[in-house]
Amino acid sequence: MKRFSPLFLALGLTFSAQASDGNDVEVLHWWTSGGEARSVDTLKEMMKREGHVWRDFAVAGRAGESAINTLRIRALSGNPPDAAQIKGPEIQEWGKLGFLASVDDVAKEQRWNELVPHRVSDYLKVDGHYVAVPFNIHRVNWLWANADVLNKVGVQPPQTLDEFFSVAEKIKAAGYIPLALGNEPWQETTLFELIALAVMGTDEFHKAFIEQDSDALTSNKMRETLEVFRRMKQYTDIDSPGRNWSDTTSLVIDGKAAMQMMGDWAKGEFLAAGKQAGKDFLCIPAPGTANQFSFNIDSFVFFKNGATQTTESQKMLAKLILDPDFQREFNLSKGSIPVRVDIDMEGFDACAQDSMQAFLRAAATDNLVASLSHNMAIGRASQIALFDVISRFFNDDNVDIDETMRHIRAAVLADRL
């Protein structure tokens, strides 16, 4: 998220909108289709049963960018919604500017500190106070594979980066696309992130992209990450430029490609095509990242609407989102896993159950890692800049690695400017 101007601060912090009447809550979000929309309808009904009115302010388009732009306009004009879908460092941005209300009392009542690992809950707090509530956990570091293609070629899913290249060479020789990738900057950066996790390890990845350490951002491990990243390009297909992620997943579903590295939202495409996990398609950790869990969280924040305290409707909404029944229903629809560590995973598919076990292991060993490519590790300004740097390097073999490392460093540090 870009730094706000002094005018934004002056106007934004002196908003004079009327507070909600205590019984209704206006919610800005971008969940407008599919299972997400159905889950939102469920949450609306739960609010209604508790005597509260959900006023929907859904803004579709551009993976939430349109909604965030609308939110800025509303906040600037002194009329923010009661709740809004925001995640990652942007929560800190809004909180530091004084826009967000605390839900500490709800967090204490539901024991969020016990139910949500600290690597996750840290992103929900500003100055130690909860200002956001999480819906779910997406695991980003997945490899999806067409089981039939692997069987025909006679290879096993790769567990390491070295195995990936060995397997990919055999798949390519057999006439299949080894790695399905759409050449969109965010897809390319997702692949870069998963390679960086494997090459750098959790500690150095965290040092580079979370702590934003200059030495780590230009280290030998970063160089190796870029070398591996560029090497993978030869195993993608010539039709990849501009292809969206779901069409890319379809290549794996249809048996034209063997593998794709993508977050767990890809699973929904396989299931929608009538494919069965463990039989038709395989879900395994991205090569070299079995002990790590790169996470992406969907969350709501709560805005002060002319009052210093949250309204009763805001508190009820926060409480219902962490309700065990809603956690199950929402995540069964969305393909992610519950953010609560105490949820019974019976009824979830094999991939989701594997994901929850990986989440618990990573939480216990401090190997939970905020996703670099999905608005969790760095702010919006840095992410836009990083997408450009990574995409240019991947698509132009003449771009120098040393130059790229300097640009990666500058991009990651851009939010400090």
Side-chain angles (χ1 to χ4, degrees):
M1 182 176 181
K2 295 180 180 179
R3 295 297 182 194
F4 295 95
S5 68
L7 176 62
F8 188 105
L9 295 179
L11 293 176
L13 289 176
T14 57
F15 54 77
S16 58
Q18 294 182 350
S20 299
D21 63 11
N23 244 1
D24 69 301
V25 57
E26 184 186 27
V27 183
L28 187 152
H29 65 92
W30 59 83
W31 288 331
T32 58
S33 62
E36 292 170 343
R38 289 192 297 272
S39 295
V40 168
D41 289 340
T42 299
L43 194 53
K44 292 177 189 177
E45 286 301 313
M46 292 173 70
M47 287 288 286
K48 184 177 180 180
R49 288 198 298 268
E50 295 292 338
H52 299 270
V53 178
W54 172 304
R55 290 188 287 121
D56 204 45
F57 188 13
V59 181
R62 295 187 293 176
E65 184 177 347
S66 298
I68 293 298
N69 290 338
T70 301
L71 176 61
R72 289 181 184 139
I73 294 170
R74 286 282 303 270
L76 178 62
S77 66
N79 184 32
D82 299 297
Q85 186 178 357
I86 302 178
K87 63 182 180 180
E90 287 186 301
I91 294 173
Q92 304 299 314
E93 293 277 358
W94 287 103
K96 293 293 185 182
L97 295 176
F99 281 96
L100 304 184
S102 169
V103 286
D104 279 343
D105 49 353
V106 179
K108 182 177 180 180
E109 177 187 348
Q110 289 189 312
R111 300 180 295 110
W112 292 8
N113 283 340
E114 299 173 34
L115 296 175
V116 181
H118 78 90
R119 286 290 188 194
V120 175
S121 64
D122 285 349
Y123 283 88
L124 311 172
K125 298 177 182 178
V126 174
D127 295 331
H129 298 284
Y130 280 102
V131 295
V133 56
F135 279 79
N136 59 351
I137 294 286
H138 282 292
R139 190 182 194 185
V140 178
N141 57 312
W142 277 120
L143 182 144
W144 306 91
N146 183 301
D148 187 51
V149 171
L150 295 188
N151 288 335
K152 287 179 178 177
V153 177
V155 294
Q156 295 295 316
Q159 305 291 324
T160 67
L161 288 172
D162 287 342
E163 287 181 10
F164 171 84
F165 288 111
S166 175
V167 166
E169 196 62 43
K170 294 176 182 177
I171 292 170
K172 187 175 182 179
Y176 300 97
I177 302 167
L179 181 64
L181 177 70
N183 282 147
E184 295 178 317
W186 75 266
Q187 292 189 60
E188 294 159 347
T189 307
T190 297
L191 178 60
F192 169 82
E193 171 184 337
L194 303 191
I195 296 168
L197 276 174
V199 172
M200 301 175 76
T202 300
D203 290 343
E204 187 154 353
F205 184 96
H206 193 275
K207 190 174 183 181
F209 298 112
I210 310 300
E211 298 177 20
Q212 300 179 355
D213 179 85
S214 291
D215 291 338
L217 287 166
T218 54
S219 67
N220 288 332
K221 290 293 187 181
M222 185 67 74
R223 176 185 297 276
E224 183 182 349
T225 296
L226 288 167
E227 290 171 346
V228 173
F229 181 54
R230 178 168 274 171
R231 186 181 171 192
M232 281 197 181
K233 183 179 177 181
Q234 65 184 301
Y235 299 107
T236 62
D237 66 292
I238 60 173
D239 296 323
S240 63
R243 186 173 56 218
N244 67 42
W245 73 268
S246 57
D247 287 343
T248 301
T249 304
S250 293
L251 293 176
V252 182
I253 294 172
D254 296 338
K256 297 177 182 177
M259 300 175 287
Q260 179 187 24
M261 294 192 210
M262 183 56 61
D264 56 18
W265 46 89
K267 178 178 63 178
E269 301 299 308
F270 287 95
L271 298 179
K275 304 300 182 180
Q276 185 177 340
K279 178 183 177 183
D280 303 305
F281 69 95
L282 307 175
C283 50
I284 67 169
T289 71
N291 295 323
Q292 297 156 302
F293 193 108
S294 175
F295 66 84
N296 178 20
I297 311 167
D298 291 307
S299 55
F300 276 3
V301 297
F302 302 94
F303 278 81
K304 299 174 183 177
N305 272 332
T308 58
Q309 303 298 320
T310 46
T311 66
E312 290 305 311
S313 285
Q314 287 173 314
K315 293 179 182 179
M316 180 56 68
L317 178 57
K319 184 176 181 179
L320 291 176
I321 290 170
L322 261 293
D323 177 83
D325 290 339
F326 178 74
Q327 282 278 304
R328 282 184 55 83
E329 182 165 347
F330 179 86
N331 287 287
L332 281 167
S333 295
K334 201 170 189 293
S336 47
I337 61 171
V339 70
R340 293 177 55 137
V341 298
D342 64 338
I343 299 294
D344 182 359
M345 294 296 290
E346 184 178 355
F348 284 82
D349 61 61
C351 295
Q353 294 194 31
D354 287 348
S355 187
M356 177 58 84
Q357 290 302 312
F359 176 60
L360 296 175
R361 287 195 304 271
T365 58
D366 202 20
N367 277 298
L368 290 176
V369 183
S371 175
L372 174 66
S373 52
H374 294 276
N375 302 98
M376 293 303 303
I378 55 179
R380 188 170 294 269
S382 285
Q383 186 160 341
I384 291 171
L386 184 66
F387 280 1
D388 182 66
V389 172
I390 295 302
S391 184
R392 189 163 68 94
F393 175 81
F394 189 74
N395 290 289
D396 185 351
D397 292 339
N398 294 317
V399 174
D400 181 68
I401 285 185
D402 288 325
E403 175 190 356
T404 299
M405 287 196 294
R406 290 193 296 271
H407 288 161
I408 287 173
R409 176 185 177 278
V412 172
L413 299 179
D415 278 324
R416 297 183 182 180
L417 301 178

